[in-house]
Amino acid sequence: MSDLRTKAYSWVPSLYLGEALPFSAVMLISVIMFQEFGLTDGQITVYTGWLGLPWVIKPIWSPVIDNLKTKRWWIVTMQFLMGVALSLVAFTIPTDFWLQGILAIFMLIAFASATHDISADGFYIIGLPDKEQELYVGVRNTFYRIGMVIGQGGLVLLAGYLQEWAKANHQSNGGDMDFSLFTFHFSLSAISASWMTVFIILGVLMFLLALYHAFILPKVETVVHDRFDFVVQLREFWQTLKVFVTKPHLISALCFILLFRLPEGLLTKIVPLFLKRGADEGGLAMSDVDFGFIYGTLGVIGLLLGGIIGGWAVSKWGLKKCLWPLVLCITLPDIVYVYLSYFPTDNLWLVGSCVCIEQIGYGLGFAAYTLYLVTFSRGERSTAVFSICTAGQYLGGVMIPGMVSGLISENVGYQSFFWIVMLFCLVTFAVTAFVKIEDHKD
């Protein structure tokens, strides 16, 4: 067992790659796919917003994972399940009930993915000594971001290339016959085929990861639980809730946890749609190929870079000193989308620079926010309290604003929407002004 523990490089990267891919598929790739299938901004954000529910309520069933079977068993089982489900999405696309079917499968994947997240994070803690946990924290974060690049970058790029290849192939063989009508039917078929390919690839990747982890993950748990005592776990959850609600400065902390990410929560689903929508709809008419490179690749790299710099800054100067500069970093760069909505351009370098600036700022600010959640959770039942905090930040900073963002943008247009986002930055400033920071840096 000790030999297996020392080989963390053989499973930590792949474990967090497997954590990122299904999340990317359900919460990010789905937005682009549904836009190309003809759904409105409001429909897309409401449907995909509800898919975030499992990540909000996952603390409710996390005791089941702690007390039934092993975390290793949960990881491998969920990865196999997600591999099958992602493949099923591909075969549901060409059916008459594609929307209902895909949403049902996505919800299944979302619950499996949230369960996998709980298991993977728990396995990381028990599978590595404290020193190695610190050593590999950068590795796990990096490979999680690599998974996001593969998902919303590489696979969206692939969908775009497949559509362009099919279009070029059709034009070289199509002749002059009823071009407009034929092109419409052809385009729908090409789009469907490209996304079917993407989800088959995702399914195969998850299946291979499950197979790999079935052999490579160390067996670090000596006790296999076969019974789950509901009454005991309900009592444990109640005790954790009591610890949470008796934390000092709870009201200001709750406001900070729920509302700090509000502007970014509004932006997250609308920015991809704004970049992809046609000029007649107020968008930048970006192709899948360009989107995959600019937003799915450069944007994620910018987010990772911002997170690294933000973490370094806080470790050097402390959270209290860094908080306001990092708050300005996560809010003020949002103005780039106001600029792009008023001065649309097909200059990819300009658009890419704007996206990178905003994502670096997001990474910087989110580093401070995450470290606040860590400091707030310290003390009794810190792991369970932290899971409640992350559920709260997802509810208030991702799920609810994400669901309503499309309805707002549909009614006011992208220009006014981005000004509304800037206005909501005042909410971030307000909750930051009232939050109490216990800075433990000497």
Side-chain angles (χ1 to χ4, degrees):
M1 184 185 299
S2 60
D3 182 56
L4 286 170
R5 284 173 181 261
T6 62
K7 296 180 180 178
Y9 60 83
S10 66
W11 59 266
V12 171
S14 57
L15 183 62
Y16 283 89
L17 193 67
E19 189 171 302
L21 287 174
F23 179 84
S24 177
V26 171
M27 301 306 296
L28 302 168
I29 296 176
S30 62
V31 172
I32 304 303
M33 182 178 71
F34 285 149
Q35 183 265 326
E36 294 192 347
F37 285 177
L39 272 63
T40 65
D41 286 8
Q43 290 173 320
I44 292 169
T45 56
V46 169
Y47 293 155
T48 60
W50 272 113
L51 295 174
L53 181 64
W55 284 280
V56 174
I57 63 174
K58 68 180 182 181
I60 295 175
W61 77 87
S62 60
V64 178
I65 293 143
D66 288 332
N67 294 279
L68 191 64
K69 299 294 184 180
T70 64
K71 292 177 178 61
R72 186 183 188 277
W73 182 89
W74 283 103
I75 289 167
V76 174
T77 302
M78 291 302 104
Q79 288 182 351
F80 273 119
L81 175 61
M82 288 187 288
V84 173
L86 286 164
S87 300
L88 280 177
V89 172
F91 295 105
T92 307
I93 287 173
T95 64
D96 292 335
F97 53 88
W98 63 270
L99 181 57
Q100 299 90 332
I102 290 173
L103 288 173
I105 298 170
F106 274 165
M107 185 58 80
L108 172 64
I109 296 170
F111 272 102
S113 181
T115 303
H116 179 274
D117 292 356
I118 299 167
S119 310
D121 292 340
F123 189 87
Y124 180 85
I125 293 170
I126 64 175
L128 293 175
D130 290 347
K131 287 186 178 179
E132 287 198 32
Q133 288 180 36
E134 296 173 2
L135 177 65
Y136 279 94
V137 69
V139 174
R140 58 179 273 184
N141 291 342
T142 298
F143 274 85
Y144 184 87
R145 295 302 175 193
I146 288 173
M148 301 292 278
V149 170
I150 292 172
Q152 70 181 96
L155 291 176
V156 174
L157 267 168
L158 175 62
Y161 279 127
L162 288 173
Q163 290 172 28
E164 289 185 0
W165 172 82
K167 182 178 179 181
N169 186 60
H170 162 68
Q171 289 176 344
S172 64
N173 297 304
D176 299 323
M177 46 187 290
D178 195 8
F179 186 76
S180 59
L181 181 62
F182 190 77
T183 300
F184 171 78
H185 288 296
F186 161 78
S187 297
L188 185 61
S189 175
I191 291 170
S192 298
S194 68
W195 289 110
M196 287 174 68
T197 304
V198 163
F199 278 94
I200 288 173
I201 291 172
L202 275 168
V204 171
L205 283 174
M206 288 307 300
F207 183 82
L208 291 176
L209 283 170
L211 199 60
Y212 175 74
H213 289 139
F215 288 97
I216 204 68
L217 284 183
K219 296 180 179 180
V220 296
E221 294 161 285
T222 56
V223 179
V224 178
H225 304 281
D226 292 317
R227 294 181 64 252
F228 177 73
D229 193 324
F230 177 77
V231 175
V232 171
Q233 295 310 316
L234 189 62
R235 190 181 302 123
E236 287 292 308
F237 182 76
W238 177 248
Q239 290 299 320
T240 299
L241 202 58
K242 284 176 65 177
V243 170
F244 180 82
V245 299
T246 54
K247 286 279 186 179
H249 313 299
L250 180 66
I251 300 301
S252 61
L254 275 176
C255 291
F256 188 80
I257 291 168
L258 290 170
L259 300 175
F260 179 82
R261 292 180 64 192
L262 183 57
E264 283 297 328
L266 290 169
L267 280 179
T268 299
K269 292 188 182 297
I270 295 301
V271 168
L273 296 171
F274 165 66
L275 297 177
K276 287 279 296 161
R277 291 290 182 194
D280 58 325
E281 299 174 284
L284 299 188
M286 194 174 281
S287 69
D288 281 351
V289 173
D290 293 337
F291 175 87
F293 176 68
I294 296 296
Y295 192 79
T297 304
L298 293 182
V300 174
I301 292 171
L303 184 62
L304 177 61
L305 182 62
I308 293 170
I309 297 172
W312 170 81
V314 173
S315 68
K316 183 174 178 62
W317 292 295
L319 180 58
K320 186 176 289 187
K321 288 183 179 179
C322 291
L323 183 60
W324 273 105
L326 295 181
V327 166
L328 295 177
C329 288
I330 201 175
T331 52
L332 298 186
D334 295 347
I335 197 73
V336 299
Y337 297 116
V338 175
Y339 168 78
L340 289 174
S341 67
Y342 278 91
F343 304 100
T345 178
D346 58 2
N347 185 327
L348 292 181
W349 289 108
L350 177 57
V351 176
S353 298
C354 289
V355 169
C356 263
I357 289 169
E358 186 269 329
Q359 288 291 286
I360 290 172
Y362 181 26
L364 286 163
F366 190 67
Y369 179 63
T370 302
L371 288 167
Y372 171 78
L373 298 186
V374 171
T375 59
F376 179 80
S377 303
R378 285 175 179 153
E380 187 182 357
R381 297 175 179 263
S382 58
T383 302
V385 170
F386 185 75
S387 70
I388 294 175
C389 290
T390 56
Q393 66 91 9
Y394 198 92
L395 175 67
V398 179
M399 182 177 169
I400 293 177
M403 289 177 67
V404 302
S405 60
L407 300 173
I408 297 172
S409 69
E410 275 186 0
N411 283 282
V412 303
Y414 289 125
Q415 291 179 348
S416 297
F417 174 81
F418 292 131
W419 279 119
I420 290 172
V421 170
M422 296 306 301
L423 184 64
F424 273 110
C425 290
L426 296 175
V427 175
T428 301
F429 296 154
V431 297
T432 302
F434 287 101
V435 75
K436 307 297 181 182
I437 302 293
E438 299 293 334
D439 203 334
H440 296 273
K441 186 172 177 60
D442 295 327

